[in-house]
Amino acid sequence: MADLRDLYQEVILEHSKAPRNYRELKGADHRAEGFNPLCGDRLTVYVQMQGDLIRDITFQGSGCAISRASASMMTQSLKGKTTDQARTLFEDFRQTVTGQTTGNGNPVDLGKLAVFSGVSQFPTRVKCATLAWHTLQAALEGKQESVSTE
Ligand code: ZN
């Protein structure tokens, strides 16, 4: 069993205490709600698009430290990115938190989001870490129903 300190990195704790972009986005043209019944995490992701560009992205909700920190850092990472870049980053992030590597055997380069690699040691927390991303995907696809990780 991995040490819990591997999971709760300082930067994760810091983001969970003071999440960035934590507000309702008034001019949002996409939004979705996500729910992780395993843990009770629930959040709403708001996106304002400009063409193919994520002009602004925010979230609100309640949940555990991992889900909040993940949502917070996701909004930071994706502001100003295209939807294609967001999709690629989500795929890399998902591989990292599930402990997969890229085809050449090297861990993917996620920048700051790499702090979530410890989550791969805690399978029940993977859904906490990916909830915001799944919710964002639903928002971008324009689905109005809420998503669940189950
Ligand atoms: Zn959680």
Side-chain angles (χ1 to χ4, degrees):
M1 193 65 184
D3 195 311
L4 267 178
R5 276 175 301 184
D6 294 339
L7 181 58
Y8 294 106
Q9 301 271 350
E10 203 167 315
V11 59
I12 290 179
L13 292 175
E14 201 267 319
H15 272 270
S16 75
K17 280 181 199 146
R20 314 301 196 275
N21 304 306
Y22 187 86
R23 60 190 162 87
E24 187 182 342
L25 185 58
K26 295 294 181 203
D29 38 34
H30 293 70
R31 78 159 73 178
E33 285 174 30
F35 180 49
N36 172 17
L38 271 185
C39 180
D41 309 317
R42 191 183 288 278
L43 51 85
T44 305
V45 172
Y46 304 89
V47 185
Q48 186 177 27
M49 298 297 296
Q50 189 172 46
D52 196 36
L53 216 64
I54 297 172
R55 186 172 167 218
D56 205 357
I57 172 170
T58 68
F59 82 104
Q60 274 187 322
S62 59
C64 66
I66 297 293
S67 68
R68 285 165 67 92
S70 176
S72 171
M73 293 180 74
M74 177 188 80
T75 59
Q76 275 196 318
S77 302
L78 294 185
K79 204 166 167 174
K81 297 277 200 303
T82 65
T83 50
D84 272 355
Q85 288 173 317
R87 242 187 300 275
T88 302
L89 199 59
F90 177 32
E91 187 51 35
D92 290 350
F93 182 77
R94 210 172 51 77
Q95 286 186 7
T96 297
V97 297
T98 55
Q100 297 173 39
T101 54
T102 51
N104 60 12
N106 295 322
V108 292
D109 181 13
L110 272 179
K112 274 201 262 180
L113 294 172
V115 295
F116 286 97
S117 61
V119 170
S120 64
Q121 304 296 316
F122 303 87
T124 57
R125 310 315 295 275
V126 169
K127 287 176 176 173
C128 301
T130 55
L131 177 64
W133 294 83
H134 283 296
T135 308
L136 168 72
Q137 206 164 42
L140 292 180
E141 285 166 8
K143 289 179 186 162
Q144 287 305 308
E145 73 267 35
S146 57
V147 294
S148 169
T149 53
E150 285 305 288

